[in-house]
């Protein structure tokens, strides 16, 4: 099971703050995206956006980053703090 | 060496942080403080409020990384990073970066490095509620990331 | 726009200067403060005191020139330069440079410019009274100018 | 008449904080230095130091800077404030 979080603009557009992804047998972020998009086809366009940022267990990651059961994955737009 | 990182809804007291950086460590010759404030728009626009969302846990981890990276790269005596979240009003304090060192150049560069890197890597997002002209209904927008911030971060 | 230049024997209140820079001008998004402190030596040496001599009249004129030059070169909302003279002790505040602006880069660069240029062009001189080891008689030395300060000033 | 001031290390080494130079008929700093050194031959070596800084009426100047009666001229070592 993977915990997935969405933030800011992305959270609002998806209408979802976080979800638990079960029965995921892939090994990296790209596969996780495919898996989620299969469950939520209407999210595909948003998930393909170039500027989508990714974190795994609170560290910046990318499509090739490995993930295992129990990981926390976050998707969010470019940050605007400070 | 004293490094402090805080993410909080409450306001902060710049003077208290200054006195801590100044007094606690030896031989301190320079303190640089950066304070980021909620900036209003130019008339006829008017900022009503700002909502700062963040990713709890990751924000603290990223700010701690910035502090550690700055301390590894420059000769520092102390660092303080405070970032607020939640609802803020025009003129409110958003972020404080304080750095103390023996010599001024270390403190200046480290403070700029922390701010530039924070801007592009710490998971905070701003949503503005503003009026386009007096009497208009307030509307809310997510602030877009700036290319200029990306360029400033890349110089480090 | 508010520019303040002061040369004084009295201590200054950094927080008061911060609040002035922060509050008075619109639309302020960034304040950078630099505080220079009397740095003690590393043991076994010990700084007893520092005497700051200056050239009355010329110091104020040079600091005002720095403020004017910074304001011409960067987009600033306010500048404050305070430099103390007379006898100072380890840990005492010597100099404050404060800059407010809409965007952080202007404030950071202007504050560094002012400090780097002040270091090589404002007519202040430091005389240190120090002990070379515990129990030794205090001796006084004029501080020598540093080549590194000259180089830092030349980058502007 | 020219008012001449000395500061810091220079003031101590010359044993003089300021002086009034009368009957000076030259036009620039180099000539003023020669004039003063004629009155105080023991100052010559100090006046020839490369790092000696010069101000005329509170503005930085050099050996070629013009001066006229009533000006205030200052000589001092490299500054060490801040």
């Amino acid at each position: 099971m993977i915990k997935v979080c969405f933030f800011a603009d992305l959270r609002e557009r998806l209408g979802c703050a976080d979800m638990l992804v079960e029965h995921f047998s892939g090994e990296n972020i790209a596969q996780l995206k495919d898996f989620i998009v299969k469950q939520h086809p209407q999210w595909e366009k948003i998930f393909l956006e170039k500027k989508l940022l990714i974190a795994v267990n609170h560290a910046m990651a990318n499509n090739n980053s490995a993930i295992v059961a129990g990981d926390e994955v976050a998707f969010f737009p470019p940050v605007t703090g400070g | 060496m004293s490094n402090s990182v805080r993410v909080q809804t409450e306001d902060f007291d710049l003077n208290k942080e200054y006195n801590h950086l100044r007094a606690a460590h030896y031989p301190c010759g320079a303190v640089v403080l950066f304070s980021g404030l909620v900036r209003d728009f130019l008339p006829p626009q008017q900022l009503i409020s700002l909502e700062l969302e963040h990713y709890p846990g990751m924000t603290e981890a990223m700010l701690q990384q910035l502090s550690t990276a700055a301390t590894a790269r420059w000769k520092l005596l102390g660092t303080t990073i405070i970032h607020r979240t939640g609802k803020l009003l025009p003129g409110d304090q958003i972020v404080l970066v304080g750095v103390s060192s023996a010599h001024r150049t270390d403190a200046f560069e480290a403070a700029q490095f922390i701010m530039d890197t924070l801007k592009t890597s710490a998971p905070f997002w701003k949503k503005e509620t503003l009026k386009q002209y007096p009497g208009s209904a307030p509307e809310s927008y997510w602030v877009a990331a700036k290319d200029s911030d990306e360029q400033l971060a890349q110089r480090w």
Side-chain angles (χ1 to χ4, degrees), chain A, chain B:
Chain A
M1 196 174 68
I2 307 278
K3 182 180 178 190
V4 178
C5 314
F6 304 106
F7 289 98
D9 180 41
L10 191 68
R11 172 175 53 71
E12 291 188 351
R13 288 159 70 203
L14 299 179
C16 177
D18 46 65
M19 59 193 291
L20 295 175
V21 174
E22 298 189 78
H23 313 299
F24 172 64
S25 59
E27 293 171 354
N28 63 32
I29 292 289
Q31 290 166 339
L32 178 66
K33 282 182 174 177
D34 289 343
F35 190 86
I36 295 172
V37 166
K38 266 184 199 143
Q39 296 182 325
H40 302 272
Q42 72 281 21
W43 292 3
E44 182 166 15
K45 199 181 154 202
I46 293 172
F47 263 72
L48 289 176
E49 282 174 9
K50 274 188 197 166
K51 291 196 169 179
L52 190 70
L53 299 182
I54 304 156
V56 175
N57 299 331
H58 295 168
M60 296 303 288
N62 59 49
N63 282 329
N64 301 319
S65 299
I67 47 174
V68 298
D71 281 350
E72 178 171 311
V73 175
F75 296 100
F76 45 79
V79 303
T80 56
Chain B
M1 187 70 212
S2 145
N3 293 312
S4 174
V5 161
R6 279 167 276 165
V7 178
Q8 61 190 43
T9 53
E10 311 86 68
D11 200 6
F12 53 79
D13 179 346
L14 177 138
N15 198 46
K16 189 176 158 193
E17 304 305 327
Y18 168 59
N19 284 325
H20 181 74
L21 284 166
R22 170 188 173 187
H25 303 286
Y26 167 96
C28 180
V31 177
V32 169
L33 298 159
F34 172 83
S35 170
L37 305 159
V38 179
R39 194 158 34 91
D40 203 348
F41 283 76
L42 287 171
Q45 291 188 317
Q46 187 199 344
L47 183 74
I48 307 301
S49 65
L50 194 69
E51 184 75 28
L52 256 154
E53 180 171 332
H54 75 124
Y55 182 1
M58 182 168 173
T59 44
E60 291 83 350
M62 292 300 289
L63 298 183
Q64 191 56 60
Q65 275 181 37
L66 290 185
S67 168
T68 303
T71 301
R73 186 158 166 185
W74 289 276
K75 286 188 182 171
L76 307 182
L77 296 164
T79 64
T80 300
I81 308 176
I82 305 174
H83 202 297
R84 294 177 68 194
T85 62
K87 187 174 177 177
L88 300 174
L89 302 175
D92 279 356
Q93 299 181 125
I94 304 173
V95 59
L96 176 73
V97 171
V99 179
S100 62
S101 60
H103 302 287
R104 74 184 184 286
T105 309
D106 292 301
F108 267 122
E109 291 186 1
Q112 276 176 292
F113 161 80
I114 290 171
M115 273 310 302
D116 287 346
T117 315
L118 182 159
K119 277 267 180 186
T120 56
S121 72
F124 295 99
W125 300 272
K126 288 195 188 96
K127 190 176 197 173
E128 292 169 346
T129 299
L130 61 99
K131 289 184 181 183
Q132 293 294 357
Y133 52 88
S136 65
E139 294 181 74
S140 295
Y141 303 86
W142 288 100
V143 173
K146 286 189 283 182
D147 288 342
S148 59
D149 280 328
E150 194 56 52
Q151 286 156 20
L152 286 168
Q154 280 168 10
R155 62 182 168 161
W156 306 105

